[in-house]
Amino acid sequence: MKHDTVIVLDFGAQYSQLIARRVRESKVYCEILPYSATVAQILEKNPKGIILSGGPASVYAKGAPHVSEEVFELGIPILGICYGMQLISHALKGKVQKAAKREFGLAPLKIKDKHNLFAGLPSTLQAWMSHGDHVTKLAAGFKVLASTANCHLAAAGNDQKKIYGIQFHPEVVHTQKGTKIIENFVRKVCGCRPSWSMDSYEKLAIEQIRQQVGKGRVICGVSGGVDSTVAAALIHRAIGKQLSCVFVNNGVLRKGEAEQVVKIFKNQLHIPLHYVNSESLFLNLLDGVSEPEKKRKIIGGTFIRVFEQKAKELQRKDGPFDFLAQGTLYPDVIESVSVKGPSAVIKSHHNVGGLPKDMKFKLVEPLRELFKDEVRELGARLRIPHDLLWRQPFPGPGLAVRLLGPITKQRLDILREADAIVQEEIYKAGLYYSIWQSFAVLTPIKSVGVMGDERTYENVCAIRAVHSTDAMTADWVKLPYELLGQISNRIINEVRGINRVVYDITSKPPGTIEWE
Ligand code: XMP
């Protein structure tokens, strides 16, 4: 069954992806397009509703993003959020002005009209406001639907045209019943059927994979992370033995990680895995290398070579591969205006470990339409163990970028032991799943200590733990002192080569999550 679709036009809001996720939580499929999408591009998606996102600009500012006015004549229901509401008003000849007081934070929203948009909601609710401009005069045919003390026209609509605007942000968790407002728009106003779920997606994706691949063969590189594992499990369910999974041990994995990945694939997922242990090849090439970007390049480049070699070997045995499977997710695909700019630049260097563009395979990317939370839900349906689905992110270059100074096998082993203690203690304290990332860093600094009667001169180890939602910004975690003490004691007692432990209390920005 084809799903009903709602489009979010992105005007540069940090919340555009959140809007799309809320729509999907209402079981309606949603895609994001840049505000500059043409009417033809919008119509190609056959949307049953269009949401205009917020954005940082002022509608009157020079170069402010606008939408083609034709969009308002399509007869497709429209909801403008914040800047989106101001755009509607501007386009349809209402008035937008700078507010006397910039409104930022929670405000009680009084609902003035028992409209479908607010069906099932209390008559007053807390709404999240964040705006400098607001609509001061409605366009012809519009009526007020809700107000706050500072913003009389906090929600307005034209039922004939099915065009609505709200000044507050229903997509953020602070707004009470915000998800319900979005659900009301897509289900009651646009009339979308609630058909989008991971159950329906799984069936559809399996069908599509079978159609795309036919009798062909697929190769998939897996890392033990969420995305590649879910992609592999889904493809395996669709085409079974036509899929070959390859897992490369690059020598900079955590303690026991390679064995664990092999075990999960074999015993729990029952997916055959070609395990390539290239630890010594990587470590030979990395030996003595200190420069972070050089480490990344060596690891990325060597991975490609090893993967290609394994692919060739498997092809010689069982015939050619036609497709390469990848666990690309929707946020990587969106041509969003809000992810351009500095954050995109920061991200690009993280993709060094990817596969080469000139590989002669067609791509199978069954997660291209999904957000991370949907991937996890799908993974649970595919019986992927909870621990793997919710494990903290781990960078492609692994421990190499947590080992400052020259890489040696011996120093890696020291870091591996210290890191295992951090993981174990954080896990035991029940904090593992509420922390974005937690790990040990081995510094090249040596400090003096005493152990028993002996003077020591060993390395300093740093502990890092951060809260984050997207790795773009992060806060250091206020770990309990007892836990920090326990981690420090254990590392110093159990790991030869470390005699001092410090805790990193830098947030991002100005710091980064990793130390390199
Ligand atoms: P930073 O250190 O830039 O990290 O704050 C942000 C997020 O990206 C991860 N990271 C990487 N991931 N290859 C990866 O696959 C890399 O080279 C890389 N460097 C950083 C980091 O763990 C954090 O989640």
Side-chain angles (χ1 to χ4, degrees):
M1 179 184 56
K2 192 92 182 75
H3 297 286
D4 289 342
T5 300
V6 167
I7 293 295
V8 173
L9 285 184
D10 179 10
F11 290 89
Q14 64 197 111
Y15 298 132
S16 299
Q17 290 197 22
L18 217 46
I19 301 172
R21 280 169 55 183
R22 297 286 174 258
V23 174
R24 290 189 186 189
E25 280 166 24
S26 312
K27 301 193 184 320
V28 173
Y29 182 62
C30 183
E31 281 190 37
I32 300 176
L33 292 180
Y35 70 89
S36 53
T38 61
V39 170
Q41 283 166 332
I42 294 171
L43 288 178
E44 205 178 291
K45 304 280 178 190
N46 194 19
K48 293 198 82 172
I50 298 172
I51 298 178
L52 311 179
S53 85
S58 169
V59 284
Y60 294 114
K62 222 172 125 202
H66 284 270
V67 62
S68 158
E69 296 199 359
E70 238 183 285
V71 168
F72 299 106
E73 305 301 327
L74 296 174
I76 300 172
I78 293 177
L79 175 68
I81 296 177
C82 194
Y83 182 76
M85 176 187 195
Q86 295 158 20
L87 269 178
I88 293 172
S89 184
H90 183 64
L92 303 181
K93 313 280 179 283
K95 207 174 204 176
V96 178
Q97 282 178 316
K98 243 190 188 11
K101 260 208 296 197
R102 202 175 175 277
E103 208 180 7
F104 185 80
L106 280 175
L109 179 84
K110 283 203 169 41
I111 299 191
K112 304 230 157 133
D113 191 304
K114 283 197 168 36
H115 195 271
N116 258 346
L117 204 54
F118 300 122
L121 263 62
S123 54
T124 304
L125 50 95
Q126 294 292 330
W128 183 258
M129 309 292 276
S130 169
H131 62 110
D133 292 358
H134 62 189
V135 176
T136 50
K137 187 174 149 260
L138 291 177
F142 278 72
K143 59 179 176 179
V144 189
L145 300 178
S147 308
T148 68
N150 276 335
C151 181
H152 175 55
L153 305 176
N158 179 333
D159 285 326
Q160 218 177 356
K161 287 184 178 284
K162 290 205 172 179
I163 298 180
Y164 303 91
I166 50 185
Q167 186 52 67
F168 57 95
H169 289 273
E171 70 277 20
V172 301
V173 287
H174 317 293
T175 295
Q176 256 178 347
K177 306 268 180 191
T179 307
K180 180 76 183 157
I181 296 172
I182 291 181
E183 182 188 307
N184 283 340
F185 175 69
V186 298
R187 304 259 292 265
K188 291 191 190 298
V189 177
C190 305
C192 294
R193 290 162 304 167
S195 64
W196 176 255
S197 69
M198 283 307 105
D199 178 24
S200 65
Y201 182 79
E202 183 189 346
K203 291 188 191 114
L204 193 74
I206 287 177
E207 243 346 279
Q208 281 171 348
I209 294 166
R210 285 182 183 149
Q211 260 179 25
Q212 187 191 359
V213 173
K215 289 195 175 358
R217 292 182 68 225
V218 181
I219 185 164
C220 178
V222 297
S223 66
V226 182
D227 308 343
S228 62
T229 308
V230 175
L234 185 63
I235 297 170
H236 187 256
R237 194 155 288 192
I239 58 166
K241 283 200 298 231
Q242 287 162 264
L243 170 73
S244 299
C245 292
V246 173
F247 169 56
V248 176
N249 182 344
N250 59 9
V252 285
L253 300 176
R254 287 163 294 186
K255 189 176 176 181
E257 192 168 3
E259 294 77 9
Q260 204 185 1
V261 173
V262 170
K263 214 162 91 190
I264 289 176
F265 269 74
K266 182 162 183 254
N267 300 342
Q268 283 176 282
L269 301 176
H270 308 292
I271 301 177
L273 183 67
H274 299 280
Y275 172 48
V276 187
N277 187 353
S278 303
E279 205 174 350
S280 47
L281 170 70
F282 279 87
L283 293 189
N284 277 338
L285 293 166
L286 286 168
D287 194 53
V289 176
S290 306
E291 214 257 299
E293 287 313 299
K294 201 164 166 203
K295 291 177 182 174
R296 282 193 169 84
K297 286 216 168 82
I298 292 174
I299 293 168
T302 312
F303 174 80
I304 291 167
R305 274 202 289 134
V306 171
F307 187 85
E308 278 179 331
Q309 214 174 6
K310 187 69 192 174
K312 276 191 194 135
E313 181 194 316
L314 293 172
Q315 302 201 79
R316 272 196 301 273
K317 225 167 87 219
D318 298 315
F321 288 112
D322 311 277
F323 297 91
L324 173 74
Q326 284 188 333
T328 317
L329 305 196
Y330 191 49
D332 301 323
V333 180
I334 303 171
E335 236 193 277
S336 159
V337 275
S338 50
V339 300
K340 295 243 169 70
S343 57
V345 178
I346 294 170
K347 262 182 101 181
S348 68
H349 84 270
H350 294 166
N351 294 331
V352 175
L355 288 162
K357 303 261 177 298
D358 63 353
M359 270 194 153
K360 301 264 176 306
F361 302 122
K362 284 166 270 178
L363 290 179
V364 182
E365 297 180 302
L367 312 180
R368 262 181 88 83
E369 289 173 2
L370 305 187
F371 287 111
K372 191 86 173 187
D373 46 352
E374 294 174 317
V375 171
R376 290 201 169 106
E377 201 185 318
L378 179 62
R381 295 186 55 80
L382 295 165
R383 297 189 193 288
I384 293 171
H386 173 274
D387 285 7
L388 193 155
L389 286 181
W390 291 93
R391 80 174 205 168
Q392 296 176 359
F394 184 61
L399 297 182
V401 290
R402 296 177 178 172
L403 181 81
L404 277 67
I407 296 185
T408 64
K409 168 94 170 76
Q410 190 213 7
R411 296 188 72 223
L412 266 173
D413 285 340
I414 294 174
L415 174 59
R416 210 170 261 135
E417 290 304 318
D419 186 67
I421 292 172
V422 176
Q423 300 309 327
E424 207 180 300
E425 290 299 328
I426 297 240
Y427 199 84
K428 263 204 311 211
L431 295 174
Y432 181 85
Y433 296 112
S434 60
I435 290 175
W436 176 261
Q437 278 174 292
S438 47
F439 52 88
V441 174
L442 187 67
T443 77
I445 300 166
K446 287 197 153 192
S447 81
V448 173
V450 281
M451 264 193 139
D453 293 332
E454 270 181 55
R455 184 178 175 281
T456 59
Y457 187 56
E458 306 280 13
N459 283 103
V460 178
C461 170
I463 309 300
R464 179 88 166 127
V466 295
H467 286 311
S468 176
T469 49
D470 54 9
M472 294 296 172
T473 60
D475 267 336
W476 62 277
V477 181
K478 279 75 189 170
L479 288 179
Y481 282 165
E482 296 71 28
L483 176 60
L484 284 169
Q486 168 76 357
I487 292 174
S488 164
N489 269 342
R490 279 197 58 197
I491 291 179
I492 290 165
N493 284 323
E494 296 173 32
V495 184
R496 279 269 175 116
I498 294 174
N499 69 351
R500 194 176 292 265
V501 173
V502 296
Y503 188 47
D504 179 354
I505 52 167
T506 321
S507 288
K508 173 182 179 175
T512 49
I513 296 176
E514 304 293 344
W515 275 38
E516 286 193 334

